[in-house]
Amino acid sequence: MLDFVIKRLIQVGVVVLLALTVVFFLIRLSGDPTALFLPPDAPREQIEEYREKLGFNRPIYVQYGDFMVNAVQGDFGQSLRSREDALPLVLDRLPATFQLAISALVLSLLISIPLGVLSAFRRNSIFDRIAVAFTVLGQAVPSFWLGLLLIYFFAAQLNMLPSGGAGSITHLLLPMVTLAAYSVARFTRFTRSTMLDVLRKDYIRTAKASGVPTIRLIGRYALKNSLIPIITLVALDLGTLLGGAVITEVVFAWPGIGRLLMQSLMNRDFPIVLAGVFIIALIYAVINFIADVLYAYVNPQIRVK
């Protein structure tokens, strides 16, 4: 088990370093950011002086080497715009992103598990067909389009909810529903599939033939034995929600990491972008690591892979 944990920890480090490496070189393709922080008529000498001050006049491989050395120590430099340390600025936005992602995850589970269970138990019924159509639609609709649609109806037309920002539960509702829509469809489909496999088992047929009440049959026998793969998917999907919150945060002006990243990309504020990617990649990798370790603990055969 210890060897398995060590291998997975090494993989976490490799994933985070690869994510930082890819993003480091990709954002350099957007161009030199120095022109954004100087007047349009700034002389060439002033631009070169500012580039030297920021370190952008050095070869790209030298910049990358210095960045990696500092990043391993938790130093991502200062924001090019605010001149504040990049990592604390990103960490300040983390609670808002977690609030949105976890709220969306809880909403997804509250809707999808009962829906998936009933759909599986009433297979090929009208309810099942509607549920399956809903899962296809939920996975096909882009989150930004759904978000704009919700804003149009509930904020602009009905004036029931705020169109963006944060501060109260009413500000959370629309972005939470938008972010949860895909997960609801995905969890419902997965729960239905898992339940159908369990309902075909011999012990379920025996319990049903023995006259076990339907509610007890579903809750105690079928659903209980379907939870392990569902829990694994939920753990992995939390990381996906954190990454998918970027678009939702931008649409609803939610003050999380995603919105900060988009603003920093537009401003070519490289330290903020890299610090944000580091946090998101680290969270995603750690969640996968915990899921792998728990799964290996439950199923020892996984450890030999």
Side-chain angles (χ1 to χ4, degrees):
M1 185 68 182
L2 181 60
D3 291 340
F4 178 84
V5 171
I6 292 174
K7 289 179 182 179
R8 288 297 186 267
L9 281 175
I10 294 174
Q11 290 179 1
V12 168
V14 171
V15 167
V16 174
L17 289 177
L18 285 177
L20 286 175
T21 299
V22 171
V23 174
F24 178 89
F25 288 102
L26 282 179
I27 59 177
R28 264 27 183 211
L29 298 177
S30 64
D32 193 337
T34 54
L36 297 177
F37 303 101
L38 293 173
D41 56 348
R44 184 69 182 176
E45 294 78 11
Q46 185 179 0
I47 295 176
E48 291 299 328
E49 180 182 352
Y50 194 66
R51 290 185 74 246
E52 183 177 359
K53 179 181 177 181
L54 297 177
F56 290 126
N57 62 330
R58 297 173 300 165
I60 187 69
Y61 61 87
V62 175
Q63 296 182 45
Y64 172 73
D66 290 344
F67 164 73
M68 278 300 180
V69 170
N70 293 328
V72 170
Q73 304 174 48
D75 181 11
F76 289 84
Q78 293 182 330
S79 167
L80 302 181
R81 182 166 293 274
S82 66
R83 308 309 300 171
E84 299 179 61
D85 289 341
L87 190 58
L89 286 175
V90 173
L91 292 176
D92 285 344
R93 301 291 190 98
L94 189 59
T97 298
F98 264 120
Q99 181 187 15
L100 178 59
I102 293 176
S103 299
L105 182 62
V106 171
L107 178 64
S108 302
L109 294 175
L110 291 176
I111 297 175
S112 60
I113 290 182
L115 195 61
V117 169
L118 291 175
S119 179
F121 199 77
R122 298 183 178 181
R123 186 183 180 187
N124 295 327
S125 65
I126 296 178
F127 178 86
D128 180 39
R129 296 179 190 278
I130 294 175
V132 170
F134 167 76
T135 61
V136 174
L137 181 64
Q139 290 182 295
V141 174
S143 60
F144 72 89
W145 185 83
L146 177 60
L148 294 175
L149 198 65
L150 292 176
I151 289 175
Y152 175 76
F153 281 108
F154 291 99
Q157 296 297 319
L158 300 178
N159 199 27
M160 294 174 57
L161 296 170
S163 61
S168 66
I169 187 65
T170 56
H171 291 87
L172 179 62
L173 289 177
L174 291 184
M176 177 179 64
V177 171
T178 301
L179 187 59
Y182 179 84
S183 294
V184 169
R186 186 183 182 195
F187 289 161
T188 301
R189 190 170 184 176
F190 188 79
T191 302
R192 177 183 181 274
S193 176
T194 306
M195 282 291 296
L196 285 175
D197 290 338
V198 173
L199 290 174
R200 296 189 186 102
K201 302 293 184 182
D202 291 338
Y203 68 89
I204 295 293
R205 295 175 181 172
T206 302
K208 191 174 182 179
S210 301
V212 176
T214 301
I215 296 178
R216 186 180 178 187
L217 179 69
I218 294 176
R220 184 172 180 178
Y221 296 100
L223 182 59
K224 183 178 179 180
N225 291 286
S226 303
L227 285 180
I228 291 179
I230 294 174
I231 291 173
T232 303
L233 180 65
V234 169
L236 298 178
D237 207 67
L238 178 58
T240 304
L241 285 172
L242 289 170
V246 174
I247 297 175
T248 304
E249 288 180 5
V250 172
V251 172
F252 292 96
W254 185 260
I257 292 180
R259 186 170 180 236
L260 178 64
L261 281 179
M262 290 301 297
Q263 291 173 337
S264 300
L265 279 172
M266 298 297 294
N267 296 327
R268 297 181 192 171
D269 198 340
F270 296 164
I272 296 290
V273 174
L274 290 167
V277 168
F278 167 75
I279 293 297
I280 292 177
L282 181 63
I283 292 173
Y284 190 83
V286 168
I287 290 173
N288 278 269
F289 166 75
I290 294 173
D292 285 344
V293 171
L294 291 177
Y295 207 59
Y297 180 78
V298 174
N299 186 1
Q301 293 181 344
I302 300 295
R303 305 175 197 172
V304 300
K305 295 183 179 181

